[in-house]
């Protein structure tokens, strides 16, 4: 005997039907844990970089912006996506439109931050003599502001019709649907994925080529200027370690985002079932949880700052001046 269908709003004639999921309790428990972990870990990154003065570097400011974007994904997008999984949107049409407006902003900002991080590492490795003059704190802050403003403008343009008329694409009461036409989808694909990823890949290939040539040059001049070489070598090792760490962040970003955008391309040709959309979206969201885990694995300062935070040492006077590096 087939189970009786359940409605989102039984007292409403036009109510949507609830979506039945196998092992729904387990799925929602796992997704809730991922959401909470994403919020908690990125909050640690935000507190660490904001509190400790030693961490107020241009590169870390970019990481702070990325952590804010990841924090918003865990705080807003993951819970909203869990509501959509059961097929019942209980927050109304206006909140539905607001959710579709806010959703792309941290995602687009994350992509923009990846580009800025790649540019930062490119200048640090390929043009180190002029890094301090080209990459200033004020310029980095300006670029981050432009990135977030552009993300908001891009999101509002993509869903402008839904903002004018919330619920225009809903077929039943309790549904929250957004339809993007071919042109808007193509523009979003280029602006949010293809163009930024092309820039990131080109920059990191250039960084890799320069790093290999520098390593060969250092090996060929082993006997010259031992003390000066030692200082330069230490500085270059530090820059290269940062480049490798952020390179891992970029690779994980590509692995998490490529399936979703590949799905959107295939969906235009109806070559992929729509039921796979949720898994692709959640893989993209999980990237926001993985970034702080990468920091914890590669950055000793992040592990030290976590210890300071969880033991409430940051509440002590002058804790912001603690030697965390």
């Amino acid at each position: 005997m087939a189970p009786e269908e359940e409605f989102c709003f039984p007292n409403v004639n036009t109510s949507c039907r609830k979506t039945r999921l196998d092992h729904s309790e387990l799925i929602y428990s796992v997704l809730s844990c991922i959401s909470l972990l994403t919020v908690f870990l990125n909050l640690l990154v935000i507190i660490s970089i904001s509190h400790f003065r030693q961490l107020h570097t241009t590169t870390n400011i970019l990481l702070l912006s990325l952590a804010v974007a990841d924090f918003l994904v865990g705080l807003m997008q993951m819970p909203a996506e869990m509501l959509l999984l059961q097929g019942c949107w209980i927050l109304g049409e206006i909140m539905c439109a607001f959710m579709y407006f806010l959703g792309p902003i941290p995602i687009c900002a994350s992509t923009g931050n990846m580009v800025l991080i790649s540019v930062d590492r490119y200048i640090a490795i390929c043009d180190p003599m002029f890094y301090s003059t080209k990459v200033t704190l004020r310029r980095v802050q300006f670029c981050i502001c432009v990135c977030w403003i552009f993300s908001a403008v891009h999101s509002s343009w993509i869903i402008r019709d839904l903002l004018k008329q919330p619920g225009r694409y809903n077929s039943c009461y309790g549904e929250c649907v957004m339809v993007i036409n071919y042109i808007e989808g193509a523009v979003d694909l280029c602006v949010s994925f293809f163009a930024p990823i092309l820039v990131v890949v080109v920059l990191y290939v250039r960084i890799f080529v320069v790093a290999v040539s520098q390593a060969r040059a250092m090996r060929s001049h082993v006997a010259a200027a031992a003390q000066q070489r030692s200082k330069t070598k230490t500085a270059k090792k530090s820059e290269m370690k940062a480049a490798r760490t952020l390179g891992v962040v970029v690779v994980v970003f590509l692995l998490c985002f490529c399936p979703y955008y590949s799905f959107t391309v295939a969906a235009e040709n109806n070559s992929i079932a729509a039921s796979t959309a949720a898994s692709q979206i959640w893989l993209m969201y999980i990237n926001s949880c993985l970034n702080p885990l990468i920091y914890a694995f590669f950055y000793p300062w992040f592990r030290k700052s976590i210890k300071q935070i969880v033991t409430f040492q940051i509440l002590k006077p002058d804790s912001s001046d603690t030697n965390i590096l």
Side-chain angles (χ1 to χ4, degrees), residues 157-177:
W157 179 79
I158 290 291
I159 68 159
R160 60 191 182 279
D161 293 334
L162 186 64
L163 291 175
K164 293 177 183 176
Q165 186 182 343
R168 63 181 298 168
Y169 303 114
N170 296 346
S171 60
C172 55
Y173 189 75
E175 191 175 35
C176 181
V177 175

Side-chain angles (χ1 to χ4, degrees), residues 20 51 71 114-115 117 120 141 151 162 172 177 190 195 207 212 220 223 239 282 308:
R20 292 187 176 275
H51 181 75
F71 173 80
M114 288 296 174
V115 173
I117 288 171
D120 173 78
Q141 291 171 341
S151 300
L162 186 64
C172 55
V177 175
C190 292
I207 289 171
V212 171
S220 64
E239 295 293 354
W282 272 97
Q308 293 283 321

Side-chain angles (χ1 to χ4, degrees), residues 4-20 83-90 93 96 167 169-177:
E4 184 179 352
E5 289 185 326
E6 297 183 15
F7 291 88
C8 300
F9 301 92
N11 297 327
V12 180
N13 292 333
T14 58
S15 173
C16 299
R17 293 178 174 86
K18 289 184 178 180
T19 303
R20 292 187 176 275
L83 283 177
L84 293 175
L85 277 178
Q86 63 179 356
C88 296
W89 182 260
I90 61 175
E93 294 177 348
C96 172
Y169 303 114
N170 296 346
S171 60
C172 55
Y173 189 75
E175 191 175 35
C176 181
V177 175

Side-chain angles (χ1 to χ4, degrees), residues 96-283:
C96 172
F98 191 61
M99 186 271 293
Y100 277 113
F101 166 70
L102 289 179
I105 294 177
I107 301 297
C108 187
S110 293
T111 308
N113 285 320
M114 288 296 174
V115 173
L116 294 177
I117 288 171
S118 301
V119 172
D120 173 78
R121 289 299 88 200
Y122 173 79
I123 298 175
I125 300 299
C126 301
D127 199 6
M129 295 293 292
F130 299 97
Y131 178 80
S132 59
T133 56
K134 288 184 177 181
V135 184
T136 63
L137 193 59
R138 187 179 296 275
R139 287 180 180 176
V140 169
Q141 291 171 341
F142 174 77
C143 290
I144 290 173
C145 289
V146 170
C147 175
W148 281 91
I149 292 172
F150 173 81
S151 300
V153 172
H154 176 67
S155 176
S156 61
W157 179 79
I158 290 291
I159 68 159
R160 60 191 182 279
D161 293 334
L162 186 64
L163 291 175
K164 293 177 183 176
Q165 186 182 343
R168 63 181 298 168
Y169 303 114
N170 296 346
S171 60
C172 55
Y173 189 75
E175 191 175 35
C176 181
V177 175
M178 173 63 198
V179 177
I180 300 178
N181 63 39
Y182 181 81
I183 295 176
E184 292 166 346
V187 171
D188 181 54
L189 197 63
C190 292
V191 171
S192 301
F193 187 70
F194 284 140
I197 293 311
L198 179 62
V199 173
V200 168
V201 171
V202 169
L203 289 178
Y204 264 93
V205 168
R206 177 62 179 161
I207 289 171
F208 175 77
V209 171
V210 171
V212 171
S213 64
Q214 287 179 351
R216 289 175 178 173
M218 290 175 69
R219 283 197 297 268
S220 64
H221 296 85
V222 160
Q227 185 176 3
Q228 183 64 29
R229 187 191 69 243
S230 178
K231 293 179 181 178
T232 305
K233 188 175 181 180
T234 301
K236 289 187 178 295
K237 277 187 176 181
S238 177
E239 295 293 354
M240 282 305 303
K241 184 177 180 181
R244 284 195 298 268
T245 301
L246 297 173
V248 172
V249 173
V250 170
V251 170
V252 172
F253 171 82
L254 291 173
L255 292 176
C256 292
F257 275 65
C258 280
Y260 170 75
Y261 283 101
S262 299
F263 165 78
T264 59
V265 172
E268 292 290 342
N269 301 319
N270 297 319
S271 58
I272 291 183
S275 59
T276 62
S279 60
Q280 309 292 351
I281 291 172
W282 272 97
L283 179 61

